[in-house]
Amino acid sequence: MTEQTLNAPDRDVVLLERVANVAQDLRREVEKRIVGQHHVVDGLLTALLANGHALLVGVPGLAKTLLVSTVAEALDLDFSRVQFTPDLMPTDITGTEVIEEDRSTGRRVFRFLKGPIFANIVLADEINRTPPKTQAAMLECMQEQQVTVGGVRHPIDSPFFVLATQNPIELEGTYPLPEAQLDRFLFKVEVPGLDADTMATILTSRRRGQPPTVELALQPGELEELFELVDSVFLPEAIANYIGRLVAATHPQRSGADGGSIVDQSVRYGASPRAAIA
């Protein structure tokens, strides 16, 4: 029986199995290089299949950058890396307009030069090492999937993921991410240190420190189909009501009538409607 002759429920089962197989293939390829970080890999792949952005938090040297570049390689997506530094300007991310002169006519026109944000997977490396002004350049890109320069909107091609790494705020030379930007990430994934056995596995499996090669986990165009399938998953009303109550309970002064609850004492801002959708 071919897929063309399947009825709707059977076809959904086939597609769901395809999602599971793709996730398994992706996990296998990524874990060729990223050893001992299973929950980190799962969190990142879940965010990708849900078409959302992810924030990886951990001290330097835990292969956060390698993880993101490996995912891009396994998916054969256009990859761009931006190293966030204190002197980085917003136009270094989004792009800028330049004046070009037609030598034959002498006429000058503005032309937009795209920045590194115009890619399928953008690695915002150490995003909290740059001041808030530059961090804010990411807001429109992450929410609207576009850049506006000189009143002209420049769309960013799909799929589009911002996978950012963040150093712990206790480290020197870091800036806290503003709440509006944190709210645009689907997941915050903590990247822990490695145990001795995992370190030994890495040391004995890397010749001259070079990671193994990664193969393609799915064909071009399949990713959009997986997004559509994930979006079509049925949300029962009971689950929606539970999410609504859970999000409302995160807001101070709403969680308890006496104002003495742990939320009122410990939470400054509750989860947003965007968080509920996520």
Side-chain angles (χ1 to χ4, degrees), residues 35 196-206:
V35 181
D197 291 339
T198 303
M199 294 289 289
T201 300
I202 295 173
L203 293 173
T204 55
S205 62
R206 304 289 166 90

Side-chain angles (χ1 to χ4, degrees), residues 10-24:
D10 291 336
R11 184 167 57 251
D12 290 342
V13 171
V14 171
L15 292 174
L16 284 172
E17 290 177 348
R18 177 59 182 153
V19 172
N21 291 335
V22 167
Q24 183 177 355

